[in-house]
Amino acid sequence: MLLRQALSVTFALLMSAGSASPSAQEADDAPERESPWLLTPTISSDPKLGTNLGAVAGYIHRFDEESNHSMFTLFGTYSDTDSHVVGAVADTFFRANQHKLKVGAMSGKIRNEYDDFLGTGQRAKTVDNMDAFFLRYSYLLGRNWYLGGQLISSNYAINGEGMMDDFLGLIGLTGFDSTGVGLVGERDTRDNIRNPHKGSRLIMHNIAYRESLGGD
């Protein structure tokens, strides 16, 4: 959710990949090259994080001619509440799309101010620290059908300032650790996953959170 909020308004800017400047004749004769790099500044505003400025940097790579283009992305935001979120995502395809792997990690610090904390009439300041990790692997069973598994792990800690920290500990509002695993089934007939013009995508998945996996 935080990633969606940070990327709610985006402006794309493609970076050129040229080296030396060619002559006019060479420029006319040479085929146009597409840059594998993408840089996107971001701006958003929401009650949780405030007004955010940030950027997304992406790199597109093809591991083999029969596979879809893989994308590696870094992102970060900073807000007027002195909050920040940073992360990285890799969305990859291997061996003629036989293997599909998506990995992501995110970390952030969110500062909150409350005029009426939990209806007590008291002003309060809290600092939320979060770390999250996501992994999903899928294998191509047949034409357009994938089956795989996924893992999600997150740590969310809430700290207060001064006596508020003791109060949060007293009521048990200190955060949580969560780890879950699940299955993923997918059918994807899109002609281009980055810019589809036809086709469809259906995905079904579940997450089972368990204390035996290290969660609360």
Side-chain angles (χ1 to χ4, degrees):
M1 180 63 70
L2 292 175
L3 176 57
R4 293 178 182 174
Q5 293 171 341
L7 304 181
S8 59
V9 181
T10 61
F11 304 93
L13 174 64
L14 290 175
M15 301 173 63
S16 65
S19 52
S21 299
S23 64
Q25 183 62 38
E26 290 174 338
D28 292 338
D29 296 339
E32 183 178 352
R33 294 182 58 190
E34 293 185 353
S35 170
W37 293 97
L38 173 69
L39 177 63
T40 307
T42 64
I43 181 172
S44 65
S45 183
D46 61 81
K48 184 68 175 177
L49 293 177
T51 300
N52 304 269
L53 294 177
V56 176
Y59 178 76
I60 299 175
H61 176 72
R62 203 169 191 175
F63 286 98
D64 59 82
E65 289 298 325
E66 297 180 353
S67 290
N68 293 326
H69 289 85
S70 298
M71 178 175 285
F72 302 86
T73 308
L74 297 173
F75 65 90
T77 65
Y78 185 82
S79 77
D80 57 356
T81 63
D82 198 22
S83 303
H84 68 268
V85 177
V86 295
V89 178
D91 186 16
T92 60
F93 299 83
F94 305 90
R95 295 190 177 181
N97 294 328
Q98 194 77 37
H99 307 277
K100 180 161 56 170
L101 178 66
K102 179 176 289 188
V103 182
M106 183 170 61
S107 180
K109 176 176 289 187
I110 298 124
R111 302 180 187 274
N112 295 305
E113 294 187 15
Y114 302 92
D115 293 329
D116 183 12
F117 184 72
L118 297 180
T120 61
Q122 300 296 315
R123 295 178 59 88
K125 294 182 179 181
T126 64
V127 178
D128 301 355
N129 293 282
M130 66 170 185
D131 295 288
F133 174 79
F134 170 81
L135 183 147
R136 174 183 289 172
Y137 169 78
S138 299
Y139 181 80
L140 184 63
L141 294 178
R143 184 176 177 83
N144 304 320
W145 285 95
Y146 286 89
L147 180 65
Q150 61 185 2
L151 178 145
I152 297 177
S153 178
S154 61
N155 173 270
Y156 202 99
I158 304 175
N159 301 291
E161 293 188 358
M163 296 183 60
M164 180 54 61
D165 195 42
D166 296 332
F167 176 70
L168 293 176
L170 182 64
I171 65 176
L173 190 61
T174 58
F176 59 87
D177 293 323
S178 66
T179 303
V181 296
L183 296 175
V184 181
E186 181 179 1
R187 181 178 184 270
D188 193 346
T189 64
R190 293 173 296 175
D191 57 339
N192 186 314
I193 63 167
R194 306 299 176 195
N195 184 27
H197 290 80
K198 62 179 180 179
S200 62
R201 183 185 185 219
L202 171 67
I203 183 168
M204 297 170 289
H205 64 93
N206 76 306
I207 293 290
Y209 293 98
R210 295 292 184 270
E211 291 183 0
S212 59
L213 298 175
D216 297 333

